[in-house]
Amino acid sequence: AVGALGKFLCLDAATGTKHWEHDLAEGFAAEIPQWGIACSPLIEGDLVIVQPGGKEGSVVAFDKTSGEVRWKAGSGPSGYSSAVAATVGGQRVIFAVTGEALLAIRPSDGTVTDSFKWDTQFNGNIATPLVVDDYVFISSAYQKGCALVRAEAKGDAVKLRQVYARLGRGFQNHHSSSVYKDRYLYGFDGMRDGARLKCVHFDTGKVKEDWEASDLGSGSGSVMLADQHLITQ
């Protein structure tokens, strides 16, 4: 578990006994972001991966049993997002959005094999990357927009190639990530009271004009996919 002030704890699930602890801000020369450290830990094999957003480790992997640091990747500030793992061309890869970029990281040693620039006002890259086959979708509010990149295995590296970037007026996820179904994305576009639930073409990032969720009114929320239903809150 990670707390807003950067305390990273491994606890016994049955008793609450603390096995190990790290201070992410102090340990990796990170400043506490305006709205706190907000990443969720990612388990990948024997690693647990978090995003301190420090100059001495933007993304860091620990041994999940001992708490020992296994590798550090990048030096960009935190973006409030959480890392995800996927397989591209037979290779495992960690995708992590910092406050400045989308990183493709080799989980075996922490090598950043490529990056895609994605700097947003207030470092507000909050939604997690959404991986579909060999494509990675990212979206941010604060007038940023959305982008789709193709991840391509090149030798022992994964490279990122832009498919599209819809900036300014493009689909903007603020706090919650979109969900994917049948080449469409469903998510909240915009911020606070002005946000609306929308359906967007995955391949273009453009809104599906004949799809309307007017009964919801406006306002931020979160969405999940359950079979053929969207559940919002």
Side-chain angles (χ1 to χ4, degrees), residues 18-97:
K18 182 172 66 177
H19 291 302
W20 49 260
E21 175 182 352
H22 287 276
D23 186 319
L24 297 181
E26 181 179 310
F28 302 99
E31 294 184 7
I32 301 296
Q34 182 174 351
W35 297 290
I37 293 177
C39 65
S40 297
L42 169 69
I43 300 293
E44 171 67 9
D46 60 354
L47 303 176
V48 56
I49 299 166
V50 292
Q51 297 188 225
K55 295 178 181 178
E56 297 178 7
S58 183
V59 184
V60 180
F62 300 82
D63 184 289
K64 68 180 183 182
T65 301
S66 68
E68 178 186 358
V69 175
R70 295 278 290 272
W71 51 253
K72 297 179 285 187
S75 58
S78 172
Y80 307 97
S81 184
S82 301
V84 299
T87 301
V88 173
Q91 298 185 45
R92 292 296 283 174
V93 58
I94 305 298
F95 293 110
V97 180

Side-chain angles (χ1 to χ4, degrees), residues 33 38 51 53 76-81 97-100 122-127:
Q51 297 188 225
S78 172
Y80 307 97
S81 184
V97 180
T98 71
E100 300 175 336
F122 308 119
N123 296 325
N125 295 327
I126 303 167

